[in-house]
Structures are given as C-alpha cells and as structure tokens.
C-alpha cells in the first residue's frame, strides 16, 4: 500500500500521531521535537482522508503560531483547497461571541479592553469605591486570577471573607459597571463569557458541535480551567480531540495555566491514545543533554528524555561578570563578533528574566551600533497609535474610557471639570463657551462615525487624523520624537489598507480586534535582520542559532518574586525553555553584583548553573579563563 504523501519526512512517532483516526489523542512533544510539523501534517492527512476542512478547528495561543500553522497547512494541501479554521483561543471566542453572544447579554459590536483600558477603568472603579490611593495593578491581577479560574464576580463576592477579598469584590463590582457602560469585555471575559454561553445555551452548543467535528489544541499545557471547559463543551459524541503539550514548558501558572489539564487528560478522556515525540531536531547534542539534566530535577512532570539527532556541537559558554555593565558589554561584544563571522543578526537572541534588565543591554548595543529590537514593545500599545484607535472606538461606540483619552489630545480647551459634567449629562450647567467646545467635539465624532460607516478604512483614518487635529499637532511640533510618532500613525494607516475591502464599518472592528489581541511575538517580522532582546516568556516557541541567557543569579533567575499562586517548579521550566531556544550556541552569564532598586547588591550564581554537567561547559571571555565559581 502506498504511503500517504502527508507521512513523508516524519519519524515513526510522528506518523503514529498523524494516522490516528478517531477518539482523543494526546501528543507529548518535547522541545524542538517537530510538534508543529506533526500537527499540520495531521490536519492535512485528515482532510486528505475525507474530513471537510470546515469541520476542523485548530487553536493555539499566539497569532504568530496560528499564522505559521495556517501557512504550513496551506502549503501541504493542493492549491484551491478550502482551509480549516486555524486561530487563537481568544480570536475563536471573539467570533463565537459576535455570532451568538446576545443570549448571554453580549452585543455583536462589543469593545475589547486592552491592559491600558483596564487600568483606566480600574482607576475609575477605585475612585468610585473610595479607594483611589490603592494600586490598580493589584486589583487587575486579583480579578484576572479569579476570572481565569472560572469564578464570576457574584460567586467571589458571596464567598469573600477576608477584608482584602471584600475590597476586591467592591472594586470588581465597580469595574464591571465600567465595562457595561463601555459595552466592553476584557481579555478574560472573552473566555469566561464564551464558557457561560456554551454552558447555558444548548442550541449554541449543538450548533458549534455540529460545525466542528475535529478539535486540535496546541500548547495544551498553557490552558486554564476555562479553556479546558470550553474545549470539552465544543466536543461532540465523536470525542475527536487532539492536544499537543509538554509539561516541561508550562511557564504560565501565574496566568492560571493548569498542569492538571495535561496530567489528567487520560482521565478526562478515557481511551486516549498517547504519542510521545522525543527526538530533538533543533539543538546540538550538548545543549540537549544539558537541558535534560536541568528539567529532570522537577517532580511534577511526565518523564521523558529528549533524544539528540544532531552533532555534539560546541560547549555551553559561561561568563562571570563583575556587574550588569560588564555582562552587557560581554554580550554586545560577543554578538558583534558573531555578526563579523557572518551570523545574521536575526539568528541571535538575548534573553532575560525581567524587563528591567534590557536597559544596560540596549546601551551597550547602541554604543557598538548593533541593530536590535526589543520584543514586547507592541506597535498597538504606542501612545500615538492608541490615540487614533480611541478616536475610532469613541466614534463607533462613545464611552468614558476612550473619551477620557482623546478629550485633550490634541488640547481643545475642555478641562477635567468640563469633562466630568459632559459624561454626567450636565452640559446645561456649563458656560456658553464650554458648551460650544463640547458640542464641537461631539459633532467631530459624529463626522468620524459617518466616515467609518461609508468609506474604506484607510481613507477614514486619514480623515480622523485631519478632523481630530492630530496631524496638525504632530506637524507643528518640529522635534524628532514627534516626527517618529507621526511616522507610527502613518504606519497604522498603511496597515489598515488590508481592511479596505471589508464592508464599512466591519474593517474598523477587525482592526480594533487585531489591536486588542496582539501578542509580543506579533511584532517580529522575518524580514527584519536585527538581534532580538526579550524576556524568556516572550521567547516561547521561537528558535535562534545563538542564544544568550543573562542574569543567572539567585533571586533573579530563579526569581525571588514567587507567591502562593506560582508553581515552585516553574522557574526551572522557564530556564529549560530558555536553553532549548538555542540551535548552535548557548551563552549563560551571571554577575557578581547587580544594581537593583538604586542599590548595588552582591549576587550569587543561579542554582541552575550548578545542575549543568561541567563536561558540557567552557568559560568564555577575554584573556585567561576564569576560575569556576559554580559548585
């Protein structure tokens, strides 16, 4: 019998996963083991076996991963074949809610609150609750944690006993009122409302189960309890669910990712077929061996050893720096050396545990004129871009959050007191001059709304820049920073062209959705030849020829900022993820002292360094080799 074309180039375990026909399938995929190749070949094989593409739903966690999966499937299928639904969890939930959400009180054109919107709404909630001196970040985290665990405000408020929990309940109630006023959902609501819909609407549940007969979930170890329940409710009686995950790469328990979802998969879905992908095709034998040695010390995992398929390669390079400046210059000089040896900058990544570490690295890179990008600085989170998007949202759906942002950008003579009366519908109490300014602002928004409902999106954005006064504001300010801001706004107009063919105002809603659901990795363009600086969390799912992991000191990596909500084994999993991003060379550095919170503190090398077999390492640096301080 002739082998299916979708099995070519696969190892035995991958073939086994691809050919599994009916019932639940668990693919335990180690780092660099070809999981995306396995998933995409499985989807193509299902379609080739007669499953209609429209019956397949594949979900993952980032737009970048979804786009890559979609393109790989498209490349495998014959030209002209209809594509299956490949999306992120949150994007899938947005589509479900826009189609069926009215039965749980969600209007079709709801707004999605990003973190900045959330912060401003919680600040207003704190003010309304008489707690304006409190830190909004604490309450955002507390509310998100409960929503991610599937807890509603009603349930939380009923069970709140401690004083602090009562404060959270009060602020949460005020925050929910802010969301209702803005016709908005936050990121957690997208999942929670979808779960509520599926649990309470038998009709919707039946329609969606009939729509999709095969469900594929990537990065299953990162799912929370809400996503787990959504997946179960989307399944029909055929139970054709395929999940791919690796407990060793679960690094989001602080976002309520549940190890139990993967550990208990076989109990949740009796009759599960389990396939383990162990062969590592990414890293050298040395890196693979070191990674195995690191992760095997964790207890809460599915035991497996990555099997190296590549050559032994170079040793793992260690560097002991005097302080963070010495470390930054070591990294920058080594990067410069690699580039001189014809390594493309895009094949180099510098990873760190916390964002504050990037500053000294950037200074060293700037001094040596090394091209770099900081992954995590999202285009849609730049102030000037958010201003334009707020004009779009306020025109389509007037709300306090966006009005508060744009009312004085650019300045139009409407102060805080006038704005307060404006949103309280007390404009008759204003002076004639103030009333005229408010009326002019409202009229301007109405003109923008009319444009959004009739014109292609890119034309509308150009009109908004002119009508709002933003374009004039940027052009009147001659400094370089404002010129850069205007360039970013113009890039937003360029980006919006992709939505010009949509029927107005659908294109505007699609742009707003894209902005709200953007992840750190979405900023990375394959054609951008720069060194990547990013946190280890942001590097998940990526790979580079050369990787530098910095700041390997006790209290920094592993972090001392662990709390009762964090899995104590997660820091070791995070280091494992960092190591397994490297294909050819891995550099690990630490400092003897580091400036933190304005004071220079002595530092101790990370315990993780002592867990690497010294036969796999070599000391890097200029001059004589340093004496090992790792025990």
């Amino acid at each position: 019998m002739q082998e299916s074309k979708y099995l070519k180039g696969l190892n035995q375990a991958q073939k086994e996963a691809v050919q599994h026909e009916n019932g639940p399938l668990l693919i335990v995929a180690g780092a660099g083991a070809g999981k995306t190749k396995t998933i995409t070949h499985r989807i193509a094989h299902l379609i080739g076996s007669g499953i209609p593409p429209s019956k397949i739903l594949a979900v993952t966690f980032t737009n970048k991963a979804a786009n890559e999966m979609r393109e790989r499937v498209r490349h495998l299928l014959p030209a002209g074949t209809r594509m299956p639904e490949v999306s992120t969890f949150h994007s899938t939930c947005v589509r479900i809610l826009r189609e069926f959400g009215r039965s749980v009180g969600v209007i079709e054109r709801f707004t999605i609150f990003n973190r900045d919107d959330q912060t401003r709404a919680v600040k207003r909630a704190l003010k309304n609750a008489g707690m304006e001196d409190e830190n909004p970040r604490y309450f955002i985290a507390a509310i998100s944690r409960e929503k991610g665990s599937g807890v509603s405000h009603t349930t939380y408020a009923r069970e709140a006993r401690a004083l602090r929990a009562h404060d959270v309940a009060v602020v949460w109630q005020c925050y929910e009122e802010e969301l209702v006023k803005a016709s908005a959902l936050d990121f957690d609501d997208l999942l929670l409302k979808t779960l509520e819909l599926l649990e309470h609407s038998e009709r919707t549940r039946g329609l969606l189960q009939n729509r999709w007969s095969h469900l594929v979930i990537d990065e299953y170890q990162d799912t929370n309890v809400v996503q787990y329940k959504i997946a179960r409710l989307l399944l029909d009686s055929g139970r054709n669910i395929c999940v791919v995950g690796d407990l060793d790469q679960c690094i989001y328990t602080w976002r309520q990712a549940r190890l139990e979802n993967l550990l208990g998969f076989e109990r949740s879905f009796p009759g599960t077929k389990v396939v383990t992908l162990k062969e590592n095709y990414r890293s050298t034998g040395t890196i693979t061996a070191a990674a195995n040695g690191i992760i095997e010390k964790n207890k809460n995992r599915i035991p497996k050893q990555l099997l190296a398929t590549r050559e032994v390669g170079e040793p793992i390079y260690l560097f002991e720096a005097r302080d963070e400046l010495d470390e930054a210059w070591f990294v920058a000089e080594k990067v410069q050396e690699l580039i001189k040896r014809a390594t493309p900058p895009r094949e180099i990544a510098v990873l760190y545990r916390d964002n504050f570490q990037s500053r000294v690295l950037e200074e060293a890179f700037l001094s040596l004129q090394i091209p770099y990008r900081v992954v995590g600085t999202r285009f849609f989170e730049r102030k000037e871009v958010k201003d334009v998007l707020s004009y779009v949202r306020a025109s389509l759906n007037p709300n306090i959050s966006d009005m508060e942002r744009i009312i004085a950008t650019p300045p139009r003579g409407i102060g805080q007191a006038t704005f307060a009366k404006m949103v309280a519908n007390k404009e008759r109490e204003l002076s004639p001059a103030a009333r005229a300014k408010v009326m002019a602002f409202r009229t301007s928004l109405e003109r923008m709304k009319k444009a959004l409902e009739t014109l292609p999106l890119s034309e509308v954005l150009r009109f908004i820049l002119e009508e709002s006064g933003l374009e004039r504001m940027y052009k009147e300010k001659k400094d370089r920073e404002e010129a850069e801001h205007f360039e970013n706004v113009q890039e937003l107009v360029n980006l919006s062209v992709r939505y010009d063919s949509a029927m107005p105002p659908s294109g505007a809603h699609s742009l707003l959705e894209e902005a709200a659901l953007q992840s750190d990795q979405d900023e990375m363009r394959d054609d951008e030849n720069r060194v990547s600086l990013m946190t280890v969390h942001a590097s998940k799912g990526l790979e580079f020829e050369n990787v530098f992991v910095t700041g390997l000191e006790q209290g920094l990596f592993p972090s001392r900022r662990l709390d009762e909500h964090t899995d104590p084994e997660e820091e070791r999993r995070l280091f494992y993820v960092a190591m397994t991003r490297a294909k050819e060379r891995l550099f690990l550095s630490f400092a003897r002292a580091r400036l933190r919170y304005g004071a220079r503190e002595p530092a101790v090398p990370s315990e993780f360094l002592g867990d690497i077999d010294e036969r796999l390492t070599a000391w890097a640096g200029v001059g004589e080799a340093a004496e090992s301080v790792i025990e």
Side-chain angles (χ1 to χ4, degrees), residues 477-500:
K477 295 179 180 178
K478 301 296 184 183
D479 60 274
R480 184 176 175 180
E481 186 177 353
E482 290 301 328
E484 185 178 318
H485 290 169
F486 189 51
E487 287 173 5
N488 288 331
V489 168
Q490 289 176 310
E491 180 58 28
L492 177 64
V493 176
N494 295 338
L495 186 153
S496 71
V497 170
R498 73 177 70 165
Y499 298 113
D500 278 355

Side-chain angles (χ1 to χ4, degrees), residues 28 224 271 347 350 433 517 561 596:
V28 180
N224 61 25
E347 286 294 342
V350 182
L517 299 180
R561 295 186 293 104
R596 300 192 69 177

Side-chain angles (χ1 to χ4, degrees), residues 367-386:
S367 295
L368 295 182
Q369 297 183 315
I370 297 170
Y372 73 92
R373 60 188 172 191
V374 180
V375 178
T377 306
R378 304 181 192 180
F379 175 75
F380 288 115
E381 288 190 355
R382 291 178 169 92
K383 179 187 180 303
E384 60 275 16
V385 174
K386 288 195 289 188

Side-chain angles (χ1 to χ4, degrees), residues 40 63-64 121 133 190 220 231 264 284 309 349 471 476 527:
T40 53
N63 291 324
K64 183 177 176 64
D133 293 334
L190 298 176
Y220 191 68
T284 63
T309 62
E471 184 172 0
E476 286 177 353
D527 61 347

Side-chain angles (χ1 to χ4, degrees), residues 206-414:
L207 285 169
L208 292 173
Q209 287 175 350
N210 185 60
R211 179 178 296 180
W212 297 307
S213 62
H214 287 71
L215 180 59
V216 179
I217 304 177
D218 190 18
E219 304 287 5
Y220 191 68
Q221 76 280 347
D222 292 334
T223 55
N224 61 25
V225 67
V226 180
Q227 289 159 324
Y228 164 78
K229 290 180 177 179
I230 289 172
R232 292 211 64 159
L233 290 167
L234 287 175
L235 281 179
D236 62 12
S237 57
R239 297 163 66 249
N240 287 315
I241 180 172
C242 166
V243 303
V244 188
D246 180 12
L247 288 178
D248 295 339
Q249 297 184 73
C250 180
I251 58 174
Y252 291 108
T253 59
W254 52 279
R255 286 187 190 168
Q256 288 69 62
R258 292 175 78 244
L259 293 173
E260 294 80 5
N261 291 353
L262 194 59
L263 284 170
F265 187 82
E266 293 174 79
R267 290 193 303 274
S268 299
F269 301 94
T272 293
K273 180 177 181 61
V274 180
V275 176
T276 303
L277 306 182
K278 298 178 181 178
E279 295 178 50
N280 179 287
Y281 297 98
R282 177 187 298 156
S283 306
T284 63
T286 297
I287 295 170
T288 301
N292 281 331
I294 287 294
I295 202 62
E296 68 184 10
K297 294 207 167 188
N298 273 359
K299 306 298 182 191
N300 203 11
R301 61 190 293 260
I302 299 174
K304 69 176 183 307
Q305 281 266 326
L306 288 178
L307 304 177
T309 62
R310 297 189 53 210
E311 71 284 354
V312 172
E314 298 180 30
I316 294 171
Y317 297 106
L318 307 177
F319 180 72
E320 176 189 0
R322 293 186 301 276
D323 53 28
E324 72 277 4
L325 293 174
D326 188 31
E327 179 185 49
W329 276 94
F330 161 75
V331 172
E333 287 172 353
K334 281 296 177 186
V335 167
Q336 188 178 56
E337 182 183 316
L338 287 167
I339 293 172
K340 285 179 179 176
R341 286 162 52 187
T343 299
R346 71 167 69 91
E347 286 294 342
I348 304 172
V350 182
L351 310 182
Y352 34 83
R353 178 61 181 82
D354 289 328
N355 279 306
F356 79 86
Q357 294 171 253
S358 72
R359 183 188 60 80
V360 288
L361 290 163
E362 288 189 71
E363 288 176 357
F365 275 56
L366 286 168
S367 295
L368 295 182
Q369 297 183 315
I370 297 170
Y372 73 92
R373 60 188 172 191
V374 180
V375 178
T377 306
R378 304 181 192 180
F379 175 75
F380 288 115
E381 288 190 355
R382 291 178 169 92
K383 179 187 180 303
E384 60 275 16
V385 174
K386 288 195 289 188
D387 289 342
V388 178
L389 294 177
S390 282
Y391 270 103
V392 174
R393 293 201 311 191
S395 302
L396 291 170
N397 176 28
N399 64 86
I400 295 175
S401 183
D402 288 307
M403 303 269 267
E404 186 178 41
R405 180 178 194 92
I406 63 177
I407 197 70
T409 308
R412 51 177 50 85
I414 299 177

